[in-house]
Amino acid sequence: MSILIKISQRNLLRHRGKSFVIGLIIFLGAFFMTVGNAIVNGMNKGLEENMVQRFLGNLVIVSTNQIDDNILTGMPKPKKVITGYFKVRDLIVSNDAIEQYFPMGFGYSIVFNPEGDHPLYVMSFGIDFQAYQKMFHSNIFMIEGTLPTNGQKGIIVNNLSRDQFYENGGFWTLPQGQPVVISNLSAKALSNTNKLITKNELILQGANADGGSLDLGVKVSGIFKFQTMNDVWSVINFIDIETFRETFGYTTESDAKIVLNPEQKSLLNANEDDINSMFSDESMFESADIVSKKYDINDIKKQTKKSDTNAAKTDPGSYNIICVKLKNGADTAQTVKKLNEEFKTNGMDARAIPWDKASGQIGMFANIFRMGINGFVTFLFFVAIIIIMNTLSMAALERISEIGMMRAVGARKSFIGGMFLYETFILAFVFGTAGMLIGTLFQRLLRLAQFKADNNMMEIMFGGDYFQPFLDPGTVLLCIIQLLFVTGLSIIYPIIVARKITPLDAISRN
């Protein structure tokens, strides 16, 4: 063995020019594989952090009447309500793979605009604000106003949605009681500060597939931006869950608490003819004297004002979507399959969808980018294998005289093959290690450079707001395995060529 190693080292030094060329190819292959794996790993980590942990969860549960898997992007479609929510919730809680869940209302809302010719459209999430922040790592960052607390009602508007409101509706949205912040104005609003129309209440109506939606004035509590990927989710705005249900015409908890007396029940149960007959009965009218009395408009407003300080208990009621996070190590595909089997067995109005399908084009683009980078790294493998194999084969043929003489003095084919194997793996160890170390340093410099995504496509490609390639011990081990795999494959053919060289070949060459 020691003789084999010594001869291999001697050969590498004797043919140092060819050794350097082969080593350089291995170096470049190891370098690009390390950087490529760091990019893929950073993108996966970014998507895991920003899409799963901060926005949607590992999977979402929707109504079985919600036909499309894509619920976030594409043409706006009314969302269906999950019926029998409590049974669905109990089944979710009993699943050992699930760590957290968060139910919310979700749909498209119409913003009526008295200042413009046409209404505006926004994507609305009906939530319990504090529970949402707890579930998604405080992903909402307020830049003006405050986040509603203790069941307060109101809407918080994305800062980029506010820019669109001004662009398309001609008004600037402000939180109630807050002044205009000049530094937050869009370029168009900034050029028109003298005639700036502001609104601190929006008139919303939910796009309900089953009808019954209401238009309702909702006070603006604040302006926010997402901590990450704000460009991607710029159309999303948050409303308290009770107001959301009211605008979409869903039954609210306060509605469910109304107790009807027998006369009211009789009125509701009456058919159309009975109702018409009631208006023909003069007994339903009461005579009253006309009096002269002054009314204070402020007293009337105070008496008729709808309270907005009552706590809204958001657990009971209607939800369109349930976001679910899984425990570490839980398999998303297996959990989705198990949940759907249990939903179907128990006859529940629910089905589970993994996050990448639920997020539509966003998940699709993320997968395409990830597949593209993986494909590029795989392409590098094959290129490196072919180049190294050809170079080693040429080196074997150029050493026919040397190898033929070795065979003539008694060297076996296994010795020749072992010699080539050692030479190649010494080069792979030296130059491959150097390539991985330089690649690790390079990805670290890229990470420190903090390249920022300029648009939502870049945010999806980066997996977040910044380009953050990342190497962890698992990825480094993967790089080593890939380097050994490439080296092992590329040496097979040159060894076969070298083993076939005979003393007669050496004599013929001379």
Side-chain angles (χ1 to χ4, degrees), residues 222-352:
I223 307 297
F224 78 98
K225 61 184 294 186
F226 287 106
Q227 294 276 11
T228 60
M229 302 181 76
N230 193 54
D231 285 336
V232 175
W233 309 121
S234 61
V235 297
I236 293 177
N237 302 277
F238 294 98
I239 314 173
D240 70 274
I241 183 64
E242 282 297 307
T243 302
F244 176 89
R245 291 177 183 148
E246 288 183 60
T247 59
F248 279 78
Y250 299 153
T251 301
T252 65
E253 183 192 24
S254 56
D255 292 334
K257 285 183 177 178
I258 296 175
V259 179
L260 301 178
N261 59 39
E263 184 179 356
Q264 290 171 323
K265 290 181 179 179
S266 175
L267 178 62
L268 289 175
N269 294 329
N271 59 38
E272 185 177 353
D273 294 336
D274 291 337
I275 293 175
N276 291 331
S277 66
M278 283 190 296
F279 288 95
S280 63
D281 190 349
E282 295 183 356
S283 62
M284 66 177 293
F285 300 101
E286 181 180 353
S287 299
D289 296 331
I290 298 174
V291 295
S292 177
K293 181 180 177 182
K294 291 184 178 180
Y295 290 94
D296 188 336
I297 187 65
N298 293 324
D299 288 341
I300 295 175
K301 286 182 177 180
K302 186 176 180 181
Q303 292 174 19
T304 57
K305 181 181 179 182
K306 190 174 182 178
S307 173
D308 56 4
T309 58
N310 293 332
K313 298 179 180 178
T314 57
D315 189 18
S318 305
Y319 296 103
N320 306 86
I321 178 176
I322 305 172
C323 299
V324 176
K325 285 184 180 179
L326 303 182
K327 294 178 180 176
N328 289 334
D331 185 87
T332 302
Q334 288 295 326
T335 306
V336 167
K337 182 180 179 182
K338 183 179 179 182
L339 282 174
N340 283 332
E341 290 174 351
E342 291 178 341
F343 290 150
K344 188 174 182 180
T345 302
N346 292 283
M348 296 180 177
D349 176 29
R351 67 186 184 95

Side-chain angles (χ1 to χ4, degrees), residues 45-75:
K45 189 173 183 295
L47 288 174
E48 163 70 17
E49 175 64 24
N50 298 317
M51 292 286 290
V52 175
Q53 297 299 328
R54 287 184 174 272
F55 188 74
L56 206 56
N58 299 90
L59 58 97
V60 298
I61 294 171
V62 298
S63 167
T64 53
N65 295 318
Q66 197 73 46
I67 298 174
D68 295 336
D69 286 348
N70 173 16
I71 61 171
L72 283 181
T73 59
M75 292 295 292

Side-chain angles (χ1 to χ4, degrees), residues 148-207:
T149 57
N150 300 321
Q152 289 179 330
K153 294 186 175 182
I155 180 173
I156 59 172
V157 179
N158 188 288
N159 65 320
L160 298 181
S161 287
R162 175 168 70 171
D163 293 350
Q164 289 301 311
F165 288 170
Y166 189 79
E167 185 74 24
N168 300 317
F171 63 89
W172 188 251
T173 311
L174 278 180
Q176 290 204 342
Q178 298 290 319
V180 174
V181 179
I182 299 298
S183 59
N184 289 340
L185 290 176
S186 66
K188 186 174 181 180
L190 189 60
S191 65
N192 197 27
T193 52
N194 294 332
K195 299 179 181 178
L196 195 66
I197 299 173
T198 62
K199 289 188 181 299
N200 54 26
E201 181 177 281
L202 300 179
I203 301 174
L204 299 178
Q205 184 181 57

Side-chain angles (χ1 to χ4, degrees), residues 388-434:
I388 295 172
M389 183 174 64
N390 285 337
T391 308
L392 288 174
S393 299
M394 292 298 294
L397 293 175
E398 290 177 1
R399 291 164 61 185
I400 285 179
S401 301
E402 174 190 341
I403 297 172
M405 289 300 295
M406 292 176 70
R407 292 293 311 278
V409 297
R412 297 181 178 179
K413 291 183 177 179
S414 59
F415 184 87
I416 301 298
M419 183 181 70
F420 262 76
L421 194 63
Y422 271 105
E423 289 177 13
T424 307
F425 275 99
I426 289 172
L427 290 174
F429 176 77
V430 175
F431 288 91
T433 302

Side-chain angles (χ1 to χ4, degrees), residues 362-386:
I362 295 172
M364 182 183 71
F365 285 135
N367 284 331
I368 289 174
F369 288 137
R370 189 163 40 188
M371 291 170 61
I373 296 174
N374 278 323
F376 177 70
V377 173
T378 305
F379 174 73
L380 286 178
F381 292 163
F382 284 103
V383 171
I385 289 172
I386 292 172

